[in-house]
Amino acid sequence: MDLQKQDLHPQAAPADSALRASDAERDRIADILHDALAEGRLTADEHAERVEGVLRAKTVGELEVFIRDLPAAHRPGPGPSHAPAPRRPTAGAIPIDPDDNVVAVFSSAVRKGRWRAGRRIHAYAIFGSVEIDLSEALFDHQQVVVKAFAVFGSVEIRVPENVSLRGMGGGVLGSFEVATLDSGEPEAPIVYVDGWAVLGSVEARARRGKVVADILDRVQRQVDRSLRKHLGH
């Protein structure tokens, strides 16, 4: 009979502070205490006493008591993550004809430095090598497609480490390798690498330490242009 009454009148779920603490949560609090000790916010004795209390704590609420007077307890948590970049460009966003052609036939060709990247770049390496370095490029468009064809040759593509990078091509007795990236910026450029490697190689990856520094400025310029157009200026 008592069980039936409990089923008819279920108890409310416990508050977050009353939930049992996990080992991961204890480790998180211990890390905060360690940082506070290193910053001089806690003495060695205070740190030891609180860590001992963390090990004995049973609930989340009991854990939070030990960092209540520390700045880390009042910092906002991470914001919601944005959706990852789509696997393919938006329909109609990329023109059919290339804005730039980089061709190497029994030779080598390089496009690097501070240059303006178009929406579509074609690279042809036929018994040769092509290097396309976007790590310092100016991005006027959020979506960029690099169409790479390597026939007994190689195409090497480098991008800043804070853009999104996607691969859409393949290899025929060759190597087509794209190291996928997901940017933490919703407005960051997306570079799509397409094409084929026939008895050759196509490789695309980030160049560490290189970033698109003007993402927010670029977005603001787009907003300003749209506003001026709307106002008729």
Side-chain angles (χ1 to χ4, degrees):
M1 181 63 70
D2 291 340
L3 291 175
Q4 291 176 350
K5 288 182 179 180
Q6 290 178 2
D7 291 338
L8 292 173
H9 303 284
Q11 296 181 348
D16 289 346
S17 60
L19 295 175
R20 302 285 291 191
S22 67
D23 288 340
E25 288 163 331
R26 291 188 183 88
D27 290 343
R28 180 180 69 86
I29 300 299
D31 287 342
I32 292 174
L33 294 175
H34 181 272
D35 291 341
L37 174 64
E39 294 168 357
R41 300 182 189 275
L42 295 176
T43 66
D45 290 340
E46 289 172 333
H47 173 261
E49 181 181 354
R50 295 193 187 195
V51 169
E52 184 178 351
V54 166
L55 296 177
R56 292 198 308 264
K58 302 297 184 185
T59 66
V60 173
E62 292 174 1
L63 285 177
E64 297 296 334
V65 169
F66 296 105
I67 61 169
R68 187 174 294 166
D69 58 347
L70 299 176
H74 305 283
R75 292 170 188 159
S81 59
H82 67 280
R87 292 178 59 83
R88 294 188 174 277
T90 305
I94 306 298
I96 297 176
D97 297 325
D99 299 308
D100 196 3
N101 285 303
V102 186
V103 181
V105 180
F106 290 97
S107 62
S108 63
V110 178
R111 188 76 83 250
K112 64 188 301 184
R114 198 66 171 164
W115 61 293
R116 195 170 299 276
R119 286 175 293 179
R120 179 184 285 271
I121 304 166
H122 283 188
Y124 301 91
I126 303 173
F127 291 94
S129 64
V130 169
E131 178 186 355
I132 296 178
D133 190 343
L134 294 165
S135 61
E136 297 181 7
L138 297 171
F139 288 88
D140 287 332
H141 309 281
Q142 187 176 20
Q143 299 185 55
V144 173
V145 168
V146 179
K147 193 86 170 182
F149 299 94
V151 181
F152 289 97
S154 65
V155 177
E156 182 182 282
I157 301 158
R158 296 293 178 264
V159 302
E161 64 178 356
N162 63 336
V163 307
S164 292
L165 179 62
R166 295 287 183 269
M168 304 185 298
V172 178
L173 298 178
S175 171
F176 192 101
E177 298 183 2
V178 176
T180 300
L181 284 176
D182 279 302
S183 174
E185 297 287 344
E187 301 296 334
I190 309 170
V191 178
Y192 296 94
V193 179
D194 197 2
W196 292 93
V198 181
L199 293 168
S201 66
V202 173
E203 180 192 63
R205 59 182 175 86
R207 188 177 292 282
R208 297 303 176 188
K210 296 292 185 178
V211 297
V212 179
D214 62 343
I215 290 176
L216 296 180
D217 292 339
R218 178 173 53 82
V219 173
Q220 185 60 52
R221 290 195 298 269
Q222 292 175 347
V223 172
D224 292 342
R225 285 198 298 268
S226 299
L227 183 59
R228 286 196 299 269
K229 182 178 181 181
H230 178 72
L231 295 176
H233 295 294

